[in-house]
Amino acid sequence: MPPQTNPLPLAAVLQHRRDRLAEIYPGPVVLESGRAVSRNFPANTYPFRANSHFLYFAGLPLANAAIHLAGGRLTLFMDDTSPEAALWHGPSPSRDAIAAEIGADAAYPYQDLEAKRAEAATLPRQAAANPEPSQSLIEALVTLRLHHDDYALDQIRQAAAVSVAAHKAGMAATQGATTEAQVRAAMEQVIIGQGMACAYNSIVTVHGEVLHNEQYHHGLAPGDLLLADVGAEAASGWASDITRTWPVSGQFTSAQRDIYDLVLAAHDACIAVARPGVEYRDLHLLACRTLAAGLVDLGVLKGDPDILVERDVHALFFPHGVGHLLGLDVHDMEDLGDVAGYATGRSRSDRFGLKFLRLDRPLAVNMVVTIEPGFYQVPGILGPARQSGQYDDAISWSRLEEFQGVRGIRIENDVEITPTGCTVLTDALPTHADAIEALVSGR
Ligand code: GLY
Ligand code: MN
Ligand code: MN
């Protein structure tokens, strides 16, 4: 895929971000990148990922660094690579060169940060659990990071393009693969080969009903559906997040196709109405109603779809929210609890059908969200529900048995909110069942 050019040089983008921060939170603020963590000896480290709030203002994935922000000025604190480290890891740019690239106003050794710490606000390690000391800083960061600038959108688009290619590679590899692990390898190979990393642990599974399944050992049988939730993140940290579900055989059974088309209808309904001012919670409820109505049409559910949704019957099959914020993290800013996801004065519902909703605020221009409805048959949910007899008036258990080959289907795209509606950033990857079948079978 052709590299796209960023709208502005990095230093100008970062200056604009910290000027905006200064308008709403003059500082001073200290943000740390975090440190690489060793496994069994110092040079053998776990993969390092810089903190996203740091990345937002520092722009580069630096390790063992910190920035001090005050009134629009940026001071960088990091050490030059020691000769010993350079011996093992090769040369790296000097502190002064990095400072010039990101437009820092000054740069000092890391230990000089100590003198600045006392008077500056910072984020606690567990900000979600203990937001109190830095509540106003957290709110300022959320205000900025909720709406992406052109540079960020460009980075997300680049990550999305690589994710699209990874999914196509996964589909193309499926018929020559015997295990989930082989399809995962085909997908992640594309991401690694483009100099990117996975934005989260890949889910590539024939057991899509395990929502965050991170096992890859199952064999692929012709009647299986394979659910792949795999997303790249750019070197700058900006993420993408795509799920597709495809038949291992290259052809959906009619029962699989019925449910697939229904999940797609829920997805498409949300995309059709996503625009500034629309409540994300209403998109979620639209997906729920679409799924409930479709399941009634298929004879799986019985009754009025609206009432089924009010009773959370749909949630037995769709227990999660329709998506989340996307940015420098998948599930962007969830390290801050629900401050980003929930508008001021709102909080999570106790209702089974709503409590996993991660985003409840009106959509606005330059927000990026995922839309990811699904259908799952989770034994731990449906077993007790059937046992209880509580849903016998609402669920045709015998009809449901005809869909037992459909354990988990999710369709997920990344959506940018625009002034007039939305743009699906991942729409180069088809969603229609016929197109999915063609990609898997190489037609
Ligand atoms: N990839 C995790 C999610 O879709 O929420
Ligand atoms: Mn997602
Ligand atoms: Mn996902």
Side-chain angles (χ1 to χ4, degrees):
M1 60 225 59
Q4 298 178 21
T5 47
N6 281 313
L8 278 175
L10 180 62
V13 171
L14 299 176
Q15 180 68 59
H16 183 66
R17 288 180 188 165
R18 57 185 189 269
D19 285 345
R20 290 201 54 221
L21 177 69
E23 284 165 18
I24 55 176
Y25 192 91
V29 175
V30 166
L31 296 172
E32 301 249 14
S33 67
R35 308 186 80 79
V37 176
S38 294
R39 274 173 58 169
N40 62 327
F41 70 99
N44 186 17
T45 56
Y46 289 101
F48 174 74
R49 171 55 161 70
N51 173 277
S52 292
H53 304 292
F54 171 91
L55 272 178
Y56 186 77
F57 295 103
L60 297 177
L62 309 172
N64 308 332
I67 51 175
H68 179 274
L69 302 168
R73 284 175 55 85
L74 185 155
T75 309
L76 174 67
F77 294 88
M78 64 175 287
D79 294 330
D80 279 325
T81 307
S82 68
E84 193 193 348
L87 174 68
W88 294 101
H89 301 292
S92 52
S94 68
R95 174 175 58 236
D96 287 345
I98 290 170
E101 183 175 353
I102 67 174
D105 297 285
Y108 300 105
Y110 187 82
Q111 67 174 19
D112 292 9
L113 177 66
E114 274 321 306
K116 294 274 193 185
R117 262 188 215 284
E119 35 91 4
T122 192
L123 290 172
R125 218 169 274 281
Q126 298 289 338
N130 183 24
E132 221 41 63
S134 37
Q135 192 66 38
S136 52
L137 171 59
I138 287 174
E139 283 167 13
L141 294 173
V142 167
T143 300
L144 263 56
R145 288 184 52 193
L146 264 180
H147 311 103
H148 300 309
D149 52 37
D150 288 348
Y151 185 96
L153 290 170
D154 183 66
Q155 292 287 304
I156 294 172
R157 274 186 211 111
Q158 291 191 35
V162 171
S163 298
V164 167
H167 278 257
K168 287 183 175 169
M171 291 181 204
T174 298
Q175 295 201 320
T178 54
T179 63
E180 296 160 336
Q182 290 166 7
V183 179
R184 175 196 180 197
M187 300 181 78
E188 294 192 3
Q189 177 190 3
V190 173
I191 294 172
I192 295 165
Q194 291 289 333
M196 294 195 181
C198 292
Y200 51 90
N201 292 339
S202 300
I203 299 166
V204 183
T205 182
V206 294
H207 284 284
E209 77 279 13
V210 181
L211 294 182
H212 281 173
N213 202 336
E214 292 179 9
Q215 298 184 334
Y216 312 102
H217 63 274
H218 298 108
L220 306 181
D224 283 334
L225 288 176
L226 186 68
L227 183 154
D229 184 345
V230 176
E233 73 171 28
S236 55
W238 294 92
S240 59
D241 183 9
I242 299 183
T243 308
R244 289 292 184 275
T245 309
W246 60 83
V248 167
S249 69
Q251 192 164 12
F252 290 98
T253 65
S254 77
Q256 290 169 345
R257 173 89 186 224
D258 283 343
I259 303 284
Y260 184 92
D261 286 347
L262 178 51
V263 174
L264 184 56
H267 166 274
D268 290 351
C270 293
I271 302 283
V273 299
R275 57 182 298 134
V278 167
E279 291 286 347
Y280 191 80
R281 188 177 191 272
D282 289 341
L283 293 188
H284 175 73
L285 290 169
L286 175 61
C288 298
R289 280 197 305 277
T290 307
L291 288 168
L295 290 171
V296 169
D297 291 344
L298 289 173
V300 172
L301 295 187
K302 301 177 277 187
D304 178 335
D306 288 341
I307 293 172
L308 291 167
V309 169
E310 275 167 31
R311 285 178 63 190
D312 288 336
V313 179
H314 70 285
L316 299 172
F317 302 94
F318 174 42
H320 60 74
V322 79
H324 49 83
L325 293 166
L326 185 68
L328 274 166
D329 279 301
V330 74
H331 294 204
D332 207 27
M333 295 184 278
E334 285 188 19
D335 55 320
L336 307 176
D338 278 339
V339 183
Y342 277 63
T344 308
R346 300 182 188 180
S347 58
R348 294 233 184 184
S349 165
D350 291 335
R351 260 180 65 180
F352 178 56
L354 286 172
K355 69 180 177 186
F356 298 113
L357 184 59
R358 299 170 178 280
L359 179 55
D360 181 7
R361 56 167 68 243
L363 296 173
V365 174
N366 293 345
M367 277 171 70
V368 178
V369 299
T370 68
I371 296 293
E372 51 178 305
F375 171 95
Y376 314 89
Q377 298 205 57
V378 184
I381 295 177
L382 292 177
R386 184 168 189 170
Q387 201 78 38
S388 73
Q390 190 188 341
Y391 297 100
D392 287 355
D393 64 324
I395 299 176
S396 168
W397 296 105
S398 57
R399 177 69 174 136
L400 181 61
E401 279 166 15
E402 294 172 38
F403 294 92
Q404 61 174 252
V406 190
R407 293 189 289 262
I409 293 178
R410 179 164 63 254
I411 300 170
E412 174 175 31
N413 276 315
D414 303 342
V415 177
E416 174 192 340
I417 306 304
T418 63
T420 54
C422 69
T423 301
V424 180
L425 301 176
T426 42
D427 72 348
L429 186 66
T431 50
H432 194 280
D434 293 341
I436 297 286
E437 288 182 349
L439 284 168
V440 177
S441 52
R443 270 187 271 124

